[in-house]
Amino acid sequence: MPLNQSRFFELKPLAASGLLVLLCLLLYLPGFTAIPPIDRDEARFAQASYQMIESRDYVRVSFQDEPRHKKPIGIYWLQVLSVKIFGKDTKEIWLFRIPSLLGAILATLGTYAIGRKLFDEKAALLGAALLACTLLMAVEANMATTDAALLACIVASQWSLAHLYGKEESSTPFSWTVFLVFWTAQGFGVLLKGPIVPFVSLLTIVSLGIWDRKWQWLRGLRPLQGSLLLFLLVLPWSVAVWKATDGAFFRDAFSEDFFPKLVSGQESHGAPPGYYMLLLIVAFWPASLFLGLTCSHTWKERAVRGVKFCICWIVPAWIVFEAVPTKLPHYVLPLYPALALLSARTLLELQQTPRPWPRFWPPFVPMAFMGLFGTLVIVGALILPWLAEGRPSLVGAGTALLGVAIAVQGIRYLKGDRILHTVLLCIGGNILVFALIFQFIFPRSDFFWLSRTIKGEISQMAPSGDLERITVASSGYHEPSLVFLLGTHTKLVSPEEAAQILFRAPETVSIVWDRELPRFLEMAEQLGIEPRHVGRVEGFNYSKGRVMKLEFYKGEEKSEVMRN
């Protein structure tokens, strides 16, 4: 029996949903508690959320004393709620990641629900599985940022549109469920990341309307009533933050974050058009093996209603994302569910009725990608432990061998045109490789977790290991993860300020980058103190892309008179 006709693809919705949840947990839980806070976005979000708990101010967002007027309040509230429910104010990074984990799971289930509306059970199940196991989804599910939760809102909104678009007839009764899901998802999406959810939905609606020259199917949204619901969801916080910041939040959010991204590559994140297409090869793995097949087959089947919906979901927004100068890998994640469903439909149909590979995507292309996969696993599994520990790792070696085995077997399947076998092999391979890399290799690579290493050193200096009883001033190393791990009172300063802090409070630990050490010692000499060297750490600052040597100092006075 062909694989696409087996009982594996004939599960009932409840069983299929349970299988998808299990798949998500197998993919996302490895490393969930083991990987330290990641710089810079995750650490900033988590620290800002924790400061809400510390200050009991749940309206204004700050990182230390600096207002954080970049994103709306939604993700901070979700993270605070997660900490309150699961951690009782405990400051562990995995507590702040729970909203992302739940968002990724809900997005996967929502993709399955959309697939059932647009296509059939088989395409829905395989499409949701492909989305769940993409590398980008696995990364976002493990990070305390907005994007996985935002994706859940986008998928919920698109489910409502798919439901209405699939039942265009005017006789279709109004559904409160569809209405409430759409507009609630819009409201929550605005609270998470501003206009992104309305932007994706609006482009989908407009594109379908222009293509079909029909708009009757939108009646079920009841735009006037829905806009009122959206307004009521967003208004309370908007008014509160306007009053709390005297309007500064909205001025800064638009003038310093949103609009600059539209005109230039903000914060060194600029890239030319085509960036997301190139990135797709890695970020959309393993479905990226068959991108050429998917594009070719989708174009031929563009008149099919479900295919048309997915095209209008993907293409207009993708063009805009490619045109905007500021680019980050996760910006196109909202389009991955539709692409995964189109990929699943293509693979199932071509497995049943084989067709020639398109000229621009011959069989050796996915074979080359399988080889690239094996190479990347070998490099990651062998090189990272070697750099971090100075010696080979048995886990790394085993992971490298596993990567090679998956790549070799995948190439064999591709040579035999056993497409679905290749896909299922890669899904299973992702489960194993992600588990080994995220749970055992990444967390143990101390060389790359400089903030965690610093925390270990400071804990030995703090009375009874209590980090709240010691103040750290860091010069040259200003990563947000350091603040999250050591506490809000951590000071990120210049070398001169680090010396001045030692002058005022000798028991403070000053951390100084070795390149800034002469300035630090010169200022200490002027102040009449002789810093006492108490430690040293070395590691790789991946945010800056350089190895850093950091020296630890405490203060010893030369003259009590001078200090007075």
Side-chain angles (χ1 to χ4, degrees), residues 192 365 417:
L192 281 168
V365 172
D417 272 342

Side-chain angles (χ1 to χ4, degrees), residues 7 47 73 119 144 165 192 214 389 411 499:
R7 291 186 176 181
Q47 175 61 28
I73 200 68
F119 305 119
Y165 189 68
L192 281 168
K214 296 179 181 179
E389 303 173 19
I411 292 173

Side-chain angles (χ1 to χ4, degrees), residues 258-519:
F258 183 72
F259 290 129
K261 289 179 178 178
L262 301 180
V263 297
S264 64
Q266 193 182 43
E267 297 177 356
S268 302
H269 295 312
Y275 168 83
Y276 292 119
M277 288 301 299
L278 291 175
L279 189 68
L280 203 62
I281 297 170
V282 175
F284 196 57
W285 173 273
S288 57
L289 288 168
F290 307 103
L291 278 176
L293 283 174
T294 299
C295 292
S296 176
H297 184 69
T298 296
W299 179 249
K300 293 175 183 177
E301 299 287 324
R302 62 189 181 277
V304 176
R305 199 165 184 80
V307 173
K308 188 189 303 182
F309 182 90
C310 290
I311 292 175
C312 291
W313 180 349
I314 298 169
V315 175
W318 196 290
I319 292 172
V320 174
F321 285 133
E322 290 282 17
V324 171
T326 301
K327 293 182 174 65
L328 285 170
H330 58 264
Y331 281 5
V332 292
L333 182 61
L335 313 182
Y336 276 24
L339 191 55
L341 289 172
L342 289 178
S343 299
R345 183 179 184 274
T346 297
L347 297 176
L348 288 166
E349 292 195 1
L350 294 185
Q351 182 72 18
Q352 187 172 4
T353 307
R355 301 178 191 178
W357 289 68
R359 292 182 180 180
F360 66 91
W361 201 271
F364 71 79
V365 172
M367 293 180 192
F369 287 170
M370 287 298 303
L372 176 64
F373 167 80
T375 302
L376 291 176
V377 173
I378 291 172
V379 171
L382 294 181
I383 301 301
L384 286 180
W386 183 273
L387 290 175
E389 303 173 19
R391 56 185 175 83
S393 163
L394 290 178
V395 175
T399 305
L401 290 175
L402 177 63
V404 172
I406 293 170
V408 170
Q409 186 60 42
I411 292 173
R412 290 180 60 190
Y413 281 153
L414 288 170
K415 286 183 177 179
D417 272 342
R418 300 167 74 181
I419 294 176
L420 284 185
H421 287 80
T422 307
V423 172
L424 295 180
L425 170 71
C426 290
I427 292 175
N430 278 14
I431 293 173
L432 296 175
V433 171
F434 288 177
L436 291 170
I437 291 179
F438 293 156
Q439 184 65 37
F440 298 104
I441 295 178
F442 276 1
R444 297 181 182 180
S445 301
D446 292 335
F447 185 70
F448 297 94
W449 305 113
L450 193 49
S451 292
R452 186 178 66 180
T453 304
I454 292 172
K455 178 184 176 181
E457 292 291 321
I458 297 297
S459 296
Q460 297 178 14
M461 303 176 190
S464 303
D466 185 2
L467 293 175
E468 294 296 328
R469 299 177 62 184
I470 190 168
T471 300
V472 174
S474 180
S475 167
Y477 183 71
H478 291 173
E479 297 306 324
S481 59
L482 186 66
V483 178
F484 180 84
L485 291 174
L486 297 184
T488 308
H489 59 286
T490 304
K491 303 180 185 300
L492 307 179
V493 296
S494 67
E496 292 81 5
E497 290 170 327
Q500 291 168 359
I501 290 172
L502 278 190
F503 175 69
R504 294 191 297 267
E507 289 306 310
T508 297
V509 177
S510 286
I511 302 173
V512 186
W513 184 22
D514 64 345
R515 294 187 185 181
E516 297 183 347
L517 196 56
R519 293 166 56 191

Side-chain angles (χ1 to χ4, degrees), residues 80-157:
V80 167
L81 185 62
S82 173
V83 173
K84 292 287 188 180
I85 293 174
F86 300 105
K88 296 181 180 179
D89 298 348
T90 302
K91 198 176 185 182
E92 297 288 342
I93 188 61
W94 65 270
L95 294 169
F96 299 84
R97 292 171 175 164
I98 289 176
S100 294
L101 173 66
L102 296 178
I105 293 173
L106 290 174
T108 299
L109 295 176
T111 300
Y112 170 67
I114 293 174
R116 293 182 66 224
K117 294 288 183 186
L118 298 178
F119 305 119
D120 55 31
E121 292 284 347
K122 297 176 183 179
L125 179 57
L126 183 58
L130 287 174
L131 173 70
C133 73
T134 58
L135 178 60
L136 185 57
M137 273 286 282
V139 170
E140 293 300 333
N142 273 274
M143 291 182 65
T145 56
T146 59
D147 299 287
L150 180 75
L151 182 63
C153 292
I154 287 174
V155 169
S157 296

